[in-house]
């Protein structure tokens, strides 16, 4: 039984602030260890419930955050950037389920460090007319490969979001959002138990399903008009409003590749404090 963990950081134990997840800061070094602890707790539960191989794919920022020297030795770690499927690299390798670990709410929503790919420039993303977090986008990509979402860990807002795009999914709420930069947090000893037990339960959902391959329409709304102007030059991308672009794709894999191009160009079009 092969499992993929897509490991993001904003939803990790104790994380509430920008410096907690940005390399080069003192808090980041603390929270790398807590992030690794959440991952190990998840691994313990998955292996205890029958997983035979688990690939942990780093999904946060530069995707070099987990401490491999402290990682459960039974796991494999996929670390580093420029992966074709980014946060979901490995979902096309025949895995029987995927875990969204350390996930967060989407852009324009309530939740700790809520965003979708770009931390502040994107104010909303819609997948087929439904507001979409990174979790919803990644779940659609997983479904295209017949891979069920087994578990999500993060704050209460992220877990509530998951219940909508992956009904029946196991959840581990490690903190309750108070604002974008504040949360009521459980200490690592308690979150480790919650995550491990949820991971054990989640294995009951493991097992490949029929792939769900279909066309999709994605819209992206920015906080400034010039970002829409910068991205509408991409073939297939059209301007649908002053600050919004949209594009269609024959399947979710192609949609996510196009989305990655849109976000990359938008990020390069941000100018100083005015954005």
């Amino acid at each position: 039984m092969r499992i993929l963990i897509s490991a993001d950081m904003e939803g990790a134990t104790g994380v509430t602030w920008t410096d907690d997840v940005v390399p080069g800061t003192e808090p980041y070094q603390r929270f790398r260890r807590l992030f690794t602890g959440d991952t190990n707790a998840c691994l313990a539960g998955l292996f205890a419930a029958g997983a035979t191989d688990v690939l942990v794919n780093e999904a946060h920022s530069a995707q070099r955050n987990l401490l491999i020297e402290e990682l459960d030795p039974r796991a494999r770690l996929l670390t580093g950037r420029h992966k074709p499927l980014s946060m979901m690299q490995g979902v096309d390798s025949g895995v029987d389920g995927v875990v969204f670990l350390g996930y967060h709410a989407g852009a324009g929503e309530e939740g700790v460090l809520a965003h979708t790919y770009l931390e502040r420039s994107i104010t909303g993303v819609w997948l087929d007319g439904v507001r979409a977090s990174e979790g919803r986008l990644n779940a659609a990509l997983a479904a295209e490969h017949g891979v069920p979402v087994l578990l999500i860990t993060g704050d209460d807002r992220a877990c509530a979001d998951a219940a909508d795009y992956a009904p029946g999914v196991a959840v581990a709420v490690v903190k309750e959002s108070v604002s974008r930069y504040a949360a009521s947090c459980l200490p690592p000893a308690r979150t480790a138990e919650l995550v491990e037990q949820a991971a054990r339960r989640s294995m009951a959902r493991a097992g490949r399903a029929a792939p769900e391959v279909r066309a999709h329409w994605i819209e992206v709304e920015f906080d400034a008009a010039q970002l829409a102007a910068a991205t509408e030059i991409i073939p297939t991308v059209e301007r649908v409003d002053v600050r919004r672009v949209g594009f269609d794709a024959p399947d979710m894999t192609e949609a996510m590749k196009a989305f990655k191009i849109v976000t990359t160009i938008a990020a390069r079009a941000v100018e100083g404090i005015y954005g």
Side-chain angles (χ1 to χ4, degrees), residues 9-10 13-33 60-61 65 112-113 119 180-181:
M9 194 172 180
E10 287 89 354
T13 293
V15 167
T16 60
W17 189 39
T18 305
D19 282 4
D20 297 347
V21 295
V22 174
T25 68
E26 184 178 347
Y28 171 74
Q29 296 303 328
R30 281 185 60 212
F31 288 101
R32 291 181 75 189
R33 184 156 280 109
H60 174 68
S61 189
N65 308 285
V112 175
L113 298 178
E119 292 84 352
R180 197 175 190 217
Y181 302 109

Side-chain angles (χ1 to χ4, degrees), residues 258-270:
F259 181 64
K260 186 175 180 180
I261 295 169
V262 167
T263 58
T264 299
I265 290 180
R268 298 300 182 271
V270 173

Side-chain angles (χ1 to χ4, degrees), residues 7 17 29 33 45 73 77 95 111 122 130 132 141 150 157 167 211 214-215 222 226 238 240 248 252-253:
W17 189 39
Q29 296 303 328
R33 184 156 280 109
L77 180 65
V95 295
I122 290 178
V130 179
L141 183 57
L150 306 182
R157 303 285 186 161
R214 61 186 179 87
F222 300 103
Q226 98 274 4
E238 61 182 89
V240 297
D248 57 16
M252 197 61 195
T253 299

Side-chain angles (χ1 to χ4, degrees), residues 3 6 51 81 98 100 109 115 122 127 131 202 222 244:
I3 307 299
S6 173
R81 296 183 63 190
V98 60
F100 294 166
E109 298 291 332
H115 70 283
I122 290 178
L127 174 63
R131 186 179 279 272
S202 77
F222 300 103
R244 189 183 293 209

